[in-house]
Amino acid sequence: MKYETPDIPEGINVAPRNHLVDFLILTVGAVVIILTITFLLSLASNYIAKKIPFETELTFSEPFEEIQNAENQETNDYLRSLIATIAVCSDLPEGMEIKYNYQGMDLVNAFATLGGNIVLFQGLINKLDNENELAMIIAHEIAHVKNRHPIQSLGRTAVLKMAFSLVIGNSATNPIENSGLLTSLKFSRDMETEADNEGIKALNECYGHINGATAVFRKLEDLQQKQPITPLAFLSTHPMNEDRISNIEALAKNNNWNRKGLLIDLPKSIKTKIEKIEKIKKTE
Amino acid sequence: MAYINELTVLTFLLILGFVAGTFAEGRHYNSIKKRERMLKRIPAISMRTPPDMNCDQVLVSGNIVIANDYFKLFVAGLKGIFGGQLNTYESLLDRGRREAVLRMKEEARKLNARLIVNVKLTTSNLGVAQNKSSGSLEVYAYGTALIAK
């Protein structure tokens, strides 16, 4: 008997196939499916987020909180009492509490985030002329908290991250990132309008008029126009436009709110020199 | 947009995997085919008993560890979602088996063997961690080399 080795035939065990075509079909398919699921999930998360009790929101936001106060006790007392007053006017649901945070940075910004935290920057306070303007900003941020916008935004971010980690393949990271003060979440245009509407209502409730409400938004817009190179942080988190300002004005007109009331001065001590951002970056 | 960075890395890895993987596979196949012709005179068969008992019998073996490139792993990962034949693994296994047999024959050649009988192949998955396969595998070929006395 004779034994021999035949030539191994090619193309049987390894099917000739263009992997690039496979890759394209599979990738496009996966992307379409993931986009569809992401869209449906973000719709669902918007719905579900509102149903999550505020106490539950606190349990997962609190470990990341690090409430910060101004060095000046007078400023703290003033801001805290102003926030408390507007919170009362905002008609918050039971159990919801607004937490005051202060940042001494040269950043024209203010935002609301998880756990009822409201963050005010000295940079913004320095640009304001009276208490009513500050009150409008605070009322706007409180309205975000009242309408559960931070947790809705978190839900949407979490869904997007999940979808992305599916594609990239790494395990989903905690959606509440950055220890210390929670970073600002992005709110949709509808959320901003809702916060405007409720904010101005609370302002009217507190002061009996809405003087200063549109002025503050206009002022920030003008500031931006004057120095377009350095964008105002507030406008990047709160995209402002003529529509929003005219929406506020229309609302005031329809409700017959007084647009010319007494403006209250800000306490002198509140406008302070601000730490330069560079300095803060160094200490970090 | 931190995702942009991750997407860039992914795209880079895919392109690198595709280019380097295609190059490495082509080179490996060329080498395999060349050596298969060289070692053709030592047949490796799966018959269990030697046809001629009047010769020395020695265990010979060949072993290889081989990894798939990132592009093929990625395609296989997508197939893992939708199902279907994992064609991208076929060439890896084919190369592994043929290389292992060649290394076994290489050993037999050094022993001046004229035939290898009872040839068997085993395959195992390597680098299994966190329930994820790294896409590398080991192929081990062994058999009984017959050496004329």
Side-chain angles (χ1 to χ4, degrees), chain B residues 43-117:
Chain B
I45 60 174
S46 59
M47 194 164 77
R48 289 176 67 185
T49 47
D52 174 10
M53 295 300 273
N54 191 24
C55 55
D56 288 336
Q57 300 175 21
V58 180
L59 177 77
V60 284
S61 62
N63 189 35
I64 183 182
V65 176
I66 188 167
N68 228 354
D69 61 67
Y70 192 84
F71 174 80
K72 286 183 172 172
L73 270 178
F74 189 85
V75 175
L78 286 173
K79 283 261 173 90
I81 297 171
F82 297 109
Q85 293 181 33
L86 289 178
N87 303 94
T88 53
Y89 276 127
E90 284 175 352
S91 62
L92 182 80
L93 276 156
D94 186 58
R95 279 159 64 196
R97 284 190 299 258
R98 284 162 78 169
E99 181 69 39
V101 169
L102 279 172
R103 290 184 181 182
M104 176 186 71
K105 282 187 174 183
E106 202 77 45
E107 196 185 324
R109 185 184 62 86
K110 283 181 185 159
L111 297 168
N112 281 323
R114 53 185 177 87
L115 182 67
I116 309 170
V117 294

Side-chain angles (χ1 to χ4, degrees), chain A residues 26-92:
Chain A
L26 290 168
T27 310
V28 170
V31 167
V32 167
I33 289 170
I34 286 168
L35 284 182
T36 316
I37 293 174
T38 309
F39 177 70
L40 292 176
L41 276 179
S42 56
L43 281 186
S45 84
N46 262 354
Y47 177 76
I48 294 164
K50 277 199 168 183
K51 309 267 175 206
I52 298 171
F54 189 70
E55 296 90 79
T56 314
E57 183 180 323
L58 286 176
T59 59
F60 59 74
S61 72
E62 249 159 14
F64 297 91
E65 282 173 19
E66 191 188 287
I67 304 254
Q68 309 212 1
N69 291 313
E71 274 174 33
N72 184 346
Q73 199 48 47
E74 220 175 307
T75 305
N76 283 330
D77 292 343
Y78 171 72
L79 289 175
R80 221 178 255 124
S81 75
L82 184 61
I83 289 172
T85 314
I86 299 166
V88 171
C89 299
S90 301
D91 200 15
L92 291 180

Side-chain angles (χ1 to χ4, degrees), chain A residues 3 5 8 10 14-15 22 161, chain B residues 3 33 40 43 51 90 98:
Chain A
Y3 300 98
T5 313
I8 295 176
E10 303 289 344
V14 182
D22 278 3
K161 279 204 169 165
Chain B
Y3 293 150
K33 284 170 193 165
K40 207 176 168 179
E90 284 175 352
R98 284 162 78 169

Side-chain angles (χ1 to χ4, degrees), chain A residues 262-274:
Chain A
L262 189 69
L263 292 173
I264 300 167
D265 284 339
L266 286 167
K268 283 221 166 62
S269 66
I270 197 174
K271 288 202 186 181
T272 52
K273 271 194 180 171
I274 38 187

